[in-house]
Amino acid sequence: MSTQRTNAVLESGRRKPVSVVENTRRSEFFGSHVFNEEKMIQYLTRDAFESVKNAIFTGSKIDRKMADQIAESMKAWALSMGATHYTHWFQPLTGATAEKHDAFFDLLPDGRALEKFGGGQLVQQEPDASSFPSGGIRNTFEARGYTAWDPSSPAFIYGATLCIPTIFVSYTGEALDNKAPLLRALHAVDQAATGVARYFDKSVNKVMATLGWEQEYFLVDKALAASRPDLVLTGRTLVGQAAAKGQQLDDHYFGVIPLRAINFMKDLEVECTKLGIPVKTRHNEVAPNQFELAPVFEEANLAVDHNLLLMDIMEKIADRHDLKVLFHEKPFAGINGSGKHNNWSLATDTGVNLLSPGSTPMKNLQFLTFFVNTIKAVDTYEELLRASIASATNDHRLGANEAPPAIFSIFIGEQLSAVLDELEGVSQGKLSPEEKTELKLNVVGKIPEILLDNTDRNRTSPFAFTGNKFEMRGVGAKMNCAKPMTVLNTIVARQLIEFKKEVDKLIDKKKLKKDEAIFNVLREYIKASKRIRFDGDGYSESWQKEAAKRKLSNNKTTPEALEVVVSKSSLNLFQEMQVMSEVEVRARHEVDLETYILQTQIEGRVFNELVNTHIIPAAIGYQNKLIDNIRGVKEIYGSGFKQHAEAALAILEEISGHLAATHKKSEAMTEARKKANSEVDIRKKAQAYCHEVRPYFEDIRYHCDKLEQLVEDKDWPLAKYRELLFIR
């Protein structure tokens, strides 16, 4: 066994669980490191507190004088908590977070020292932003990018740094991040949904999109992960023969959590609790060494921030426990990958979940209104939703038997389908008293009873209704939830605006009563969006054919999926809803393509390194041992040696064949990369990497994995799947 692999296996085998002691109820220190409402009441003046609350609720601006007061109070709290620095914490188009720390420490002109932090530092900063992806929005020499405070997401202390969540924009005002478009989309859905919700309750003044993400991840021993160049540089194992035992016994799913993993989880949950991240659920996932955690639902913007912060905390806590956390969507071939299911709903400021049925027919009509409009929005923009989860890493997972396919469909269950079928038969125009009674009592009125047994049992559906929310399952584990949430909230907002226009038109011009008008419009939406509803097996060939007949998109790769982003309809949508300008949309399209190209390019380079410096030398080394063995047999047995060296000769020949193929295909892949790199047009370049370079990866892997099966175990240089997945 190679020295590095030997040392890694020995080191991982000697690990002792890191002890984690909890002596305090979590409710007692939840949010202790967050400048939340409780801290604001304690540290802010009444006027400053009201100013922040109004900014959160209505989006009103905070003037400079008030910002100075807030900054001074925030600084006093941060210093009392031991903070020494502050940073604007933002989300550039890298998919991760970014920060630049500045000390509170400053000097007066006379040389005296003091801690300084004013409204100017709180509200806006100007980081050197030249190296962040911008998609051509600005030139490198125009490095100015501005971070601006987002009061709706509270500041927090992480380590010894006060972190202030912010948006990130260019000098000319275009969004250079994922948060600004999300905030605009949330504002759009708030206005649109509030207008519709007021049909049912005039006291509704605000509607919030809520999000509950489910974060899946793998835990691997740190030493074993470090022994794999592919895991270090790409986040996944580019080669690796499946272990004899994988997930086929289903013995890991919901099983007893391994001791090192449970201690990691306890440590993580303590840190999350301090930072106000309401983590609640933890369990083993399907694959060995795969786990999941999920929080209580929150307002979508805050939930996105919390998920990004969580992933950063997880990496730091894992290191403390001598573990490596893997967020890649498919770190291991042949077993389940990792997703981040996004559970989405809409909630009013009066405390009502608009996707949850109520106790009266009118409340159920409200539920149906938002339920059907969401289905219609997804049907209209299914291709755009698919694009929102597209990435080089997620392409490995989607459609891989444990994840939803690339074809978007909605699962609602047989009973709710029957309700929609009933509503599809509603008479056009005014309803007779009998029909209205039938609808309200026997159709709409029975929805709560129906939902009691409407648990979602279809795990292949990309977009499923699960009782009081929709679950978007295609989101990848390492993705920023802001991207799919921006699209989903934008399309639902657009749909609700259209709905209200049509209902108001029927009320004003056709003189229909409100509920009659709503039934009439819903009927047409149910008919128009019927093609997106599917309750069967998303992987079946029959569904693939049926989806094609229904003219649903099936964009299996990222370059294909991203094309719709810059279509006329998408550009019009984002501009009309004031979520993104054409410049901002095109910039993101370019950044996403460039990221796809670079990630694929890196994998190709790592493949070459693995093949040339690890796999081929190991195979040749074992080949030489076989040759020495055969030569020795020949010396003893002479011309009849072949019958005595039959096994060695057969293995030698097999190794030689796989060695030749590995070398040949690796060289061909390098040439394909060179050719792809010569493409000037970024779309053609992405297509070339997708269709000319990536196919070699599986070919090369096949021969490398065969060599792993043939080469003597002690001579194989890379940590094997049985070690990565079963050493705990």
Side-chain angles (χ1 to χ4, degrees):
M1 195 183 292
S2 71
T3 304
Q4 188 175 14
R5 180 181 161 212
T6 301
N7 291 342
V9 170
L10 290 173
E11 188 176 348
S12 60
R14 290 193 293 263
R15 304 282 196 208
K16 300 295 182 186
V18 176
S19 178
V20 179
V21 179
E22 292 187 78
N23 296 320
T24 311
R25 291 182 180 179
R26 293 185 185 179
S27 59
E28 293 178 17
F29 63 93
F30 178 74
S32 61
H33 286 49
V34 182
F35 196 65
N36 52 22
E37 190 168 315
E38 180 187 341
K39 311 298 190 315
M40 286 193 281
I41 291 171
Q42 183 180 351
Y43 281 87
L44 296 181
T45 63
R46 179 176 293 179
D47 287 346
F49 176 70
E50 288 301 321
S51 182
V52 175
K53 293 294 287 181
N54 287 336
I56 294 169
F57 193 80
T58 67
S60 62
K61 292 191 180 297
I62 297 172
D63 64 43
R64 181 58 183 268
K65 183 180 178 182
M66 202 60 71
D68 283 334
Q69 287 187 34
I70 296 165
E72 190 62 36
S73 300
M74 201 180 281
K75 181 192 74 175
W77 170 72
L79 292 175
S80 74
M81 295 290 291
T84 58
H85 288 69
Y86 64 90
T87 182
H88 276 200
W89 187 75
F90 58 104
Q91 303 171 27
L93 298 178
T94 57
T97 59
E99 53 198 65
K100 181 186 77 169
H101 297 195
D102 286 302
F104 289 117
F105 176 84
D106 206 348
L107 289 176
L108 293 171
D110 61 5
R112 285 182 297 153
L114 80 166
E115 276 71 34
K116 186 178 178 183
F117 180 63
Q121 288 92 352
L122 169 63
V123 173
Q124 182 176 299
Q125 290 280 282
E126 184 184 335
D128 178 8
S130 59
S131 295
F132 287 119
S134 70
I137 284 179
R138 58 198 165 76
N139 296 313
T140 301
F141 62 86
E142 296 172 330
R144 279 185 293 179
Y146 296 93
T147 49
W149 178 34
D150 169 21
S152 64
S153 185
F156 57 91
I157 291 173
Y158 189 33
T161 303
L162 172 67
C163 299
I164 303 156
T166 60
I167 62 169
F168 181 41
V169 297
S170 71
Y171 175 69
T172 49
E174 289 94 358
L176 296 172
D177 68 345
N178 288 302
K179 180 185 267 277
L182 175 64
L183 289 173
R184 295 170 191 163
L186 294 173
H187 176 67
V189 84
D190 169 18
Q191 290 192 313
T194 298
V196 174
R198 286 173 69 85
Y199 281 143
F200 308 97
D201 183 356
K202 295 293 184 186
S203 65
V204 173
N205 292 309
K206 188 176 179 64
V207 172
M208 297 175 297
T210 62
L211 170 64
W213 36 261
E214 302 167 25
Q215 182 69 59
E216 294 177 340
Y217 61 97
F218 281 83
L219 286 176
V220 175
D221 186 86
K222 183 166 68 174
L224 290 169
S227 74
R228 296 276 315 217
D230 48 359
L231 269 182
V232 171
L233 296 176
T234 74
R236 76 178 181 110
T237 52
L238 298 179
V239 298
Q241 175 62 31
K245 178 179 183 286
Q247 63 187 48
Q248 62 267 50
L249 294 177
D250 296 324
D251 55 344
H252 188 258
Y253 191 49
F254 277 34
V256 176
I257 301 172
L259 190 54
R260 286 179 69 193
I262 195 71
N263 283 5
F264 158 80
M265 291 173 180
K266 288 178 183 177
D267 208 351
L268 171 66
E269 288 169 7
V270 168
E271 290 299 314
C272 287
T273 303
K274 291 176 186 174
L275 290 162
I277 305 172
V279 291
K280 184 175 177 67
T281 303
R282 65 190 185 202
H283 62 83
N284 289 1
E285 254 301 331
V286 175
N289 272 356
Q290 186 187 31
F291 307 94
E292 181 184 295
L293 66 82
V296 177
F297 282 49
E298 298 181 283
E299 185 276 324
N301 176 46
L302 184 58
V304 168
D305 282 0
H306 278 165
N307 182 251
L308 289 168
L309 178 58
L310 170 96
M311 290 194 288
D312 184 44
I313 299 168
M314 287 176 77
E315 290 183 333
K316 290 180 170 64
I317 299 293
D319 189 63
R320 189 187 299 170
H321 289 255
D322 294 312
L323 295 166
K324 172 74 173 173
V325 62
L326 303 178
F327 293 117
H328 193 289
E329 284 81 0
K330 196 74 172 178
F332 302 101
I335 59 174
N336 278 20
S338 297
K340 180 152 49 191
H341 296 182
N342 277 207
N343 294 277
W344 171 89
S345 192
L346 295 169
T348 68
D349 58 335
T350 58
V352 174
N353 179 350
L354 294 172
L355 286 172
S356 183
S359 55
T360 67
M362 185 53 76
K363 287 180 181 178
N364 292 332
L365 183 56
Q366 175 178 268
F367 156 74
L368 274 173
T369 295
F370 287 93
F371 179 67
V372 172
N373 272 281
T374 302
I375 293 172
K376 179 68 168 62
V378 174
D379 175 67
T380 305
Y381 295 103
E382 48 92 12
E383 212 169 353
L384 194 57
L385 270 181
R386 163 67 183 98
S388 74
I389 58 171
S391 72
T393 53
N394 208 21
D395 278 0
H396 294 290
R397 168 179 166 263
L398 292 178
N401 296 323
E402 84 288 347
I407 302 170
F408 251 77
S409 63
I410 296 179
F411 173 95
I412 64 171
E414 289 181 14
Q415 293 147 316
L416 276 174
S417 289
V419 170
L420 297 193
D421 290 343
E422 288 264 12
L423 291 173
E424 197 178 331
V426 170
S427 299
Q428 190 168 353
K430 292 185 178 180
L431 308 180
S432 68
E434 292 81 13
E435 187 175 18
K436 194 179 287 189
T437 301
E438 169 71 17
L439 282 170
K440 287 187 174 180
L441 295 181
N442 296 333
V443 180
V444 178
K446 291 185 177 178
I447 288 174
E449 300 167 32
I450 287 169
L451 288 182
L452 286 174
D453 190 39
N454 193 58
T455 50
D456 171 26
R457 300 179 185 90
N458 187 333
R459 308 312 295 172
T460 67
S461 174
F463 202 87
F465 183 70
T466 55
N468 59 0
K469 62 190 183 299
F470 280 99
E471 184 176 2
M472 190 171 173
R473 294 188 178 132
V475 184
K478 66 182 290 187
M479 293 187 77
N480 184 337
C481 299
K483 291 178 73 175
M485 285 297 102
T486 296
V487 172
L488 180 57
N489 285 290
T490 301
I491 65 176
V492 170
R494 183 76 184 83
Q495 180 55 50
L496 289 170
I497 289 169
E498 286 302 307
F499 172 77
K500 190 171 189 306
K501 282 181 184 175
E502 292 185 47
V503 170
D504 288 347
K505 186 177 178 181
L506 289 177
I507 293 171
D508 296 338
K509 294 190 176 180
K510 300 290 184 180
K511 305 303 179 186
L512 296 186
K513 291 183 179 179
K514 181 177 65 180
D515 53 352
E516 290 176 326
I518 290 171
F519 276 127
N520 270 258
V521 177
L522 290 181
R523 178 195 63 227
E524 297 307 311
Y525 287 175
I526 291 165
K527 289 178 182 177
S529 61
K530 206 164 186 177
R531 66 166 191 158
I532 200 74
R533 286 159 41 199
F534 176 66
D535 291 351
D537 180 2
Y539 300 123
S540 67
E541 278 189 41
S542 60
W543 168 236
Q544 309 280 322
K545 292 175 183 176
E546 175 62 24
K549 285 182 186 176
R550 297 186 188 187
K551 296 184 179 178
L552 292 171
S553 67
N554 187 10
N555 298 322
K556 295 181 179 179
T557 68
T558 290
E560 280 181 277
L562 291 176
E563 279 300 298
V564 72
V565 172
V566 288
S567 67
K568 188 176 179 180
S569 64
S570 296
L571 293 172
N572 288 341
L573 167 73
F574 289 119
Q575 288 179 94
E576 286 173 14
M577 298 307 298
Q578 298 183 340
V579 170
M580 284 186 281
S581 67
E582 182 173 343
V583 170
E584 290 171 323
V585 175
R586 290 191 181 278
R588 278 156 182 73
H589 179 248
E590 186 169 325
V591 168
D592 287 343
L593 286 175
E594 185 67 24
T595 302
Y596 177 87
I597 291 165
L598 291 173
Q599 287 178 333
T600 311
Q601 186 182 75
I602 289 167
E603 287 197 351
R605 289 174 174 171
V606 175
F607 248 122
N608 284 137
E609 181 186 341
L610 288 176
V611 166
N612 293 323
T613 65
H614 290 71
I615 293 165
I616 288 179
I620 289 174
Y622 184 58
Q623 207 177 32
N624 288 335
K625 287 185 178 181
L626 290 172
I627 291 169
D628 287 343
N629 173 265
I630 293 165
R631 188 182 291 121
V633 172
K634 188 176 182 180
E635 287 176 4
I636 295 172
Y637 292 100
S639 59
F641 80 98
K642 287 187 179 180
Q643 63 177 334
H644 301 287
E646 184 179 350
L649 284 166
I651 295 171
L652 180 64
E653 187 173 347
E654 206 172 339
I655 287 175
S656 297
H658 290 303
L659 269 174
T662 299
H663 177 71
K664 183 179 178 181
K665 290 182 181 296
S666 182
E667 291 293 303
M669 184 261 288
T670 301
E671 290 305 311
R673 281 206 337 263
K674 289 178 182 177
K675 186 178 178 182
N677 289 335
S678 67
E679 286 284 359
V680 177
D681 183 278
I682 194 165
R683 284 156 132 164
K684 290 181 180 177
K685 191 172 183 177
Q687 290 285 354
Y689 264 98
C690 179
H691 299 296
E692 305 300 327
V693 177
R694 277 179 77 128
Y696 281 109
F697 293 178
E698 285 306 308
D699 289 344
I700 296 168
R701 179 180 194 132
Y702 170 79
H703 294 288
C704 291
D705 291 355
K706 288 296 183 183
L707 287 170
E708 182 182 332
Q709 288 181 293
L710 295 167
V711 172
E712 189 176 0
D713 183 68
K714 69 184 183 66
D715 290 340
W716 193 253
L718 303 171
K720 295 190 174 185
Y721 270 30
R722 68 167 186 266
E723 295 154 355
L724 292 165
L725 293 170
F726 291 98
I727 293 180
R728 297 170 180 173

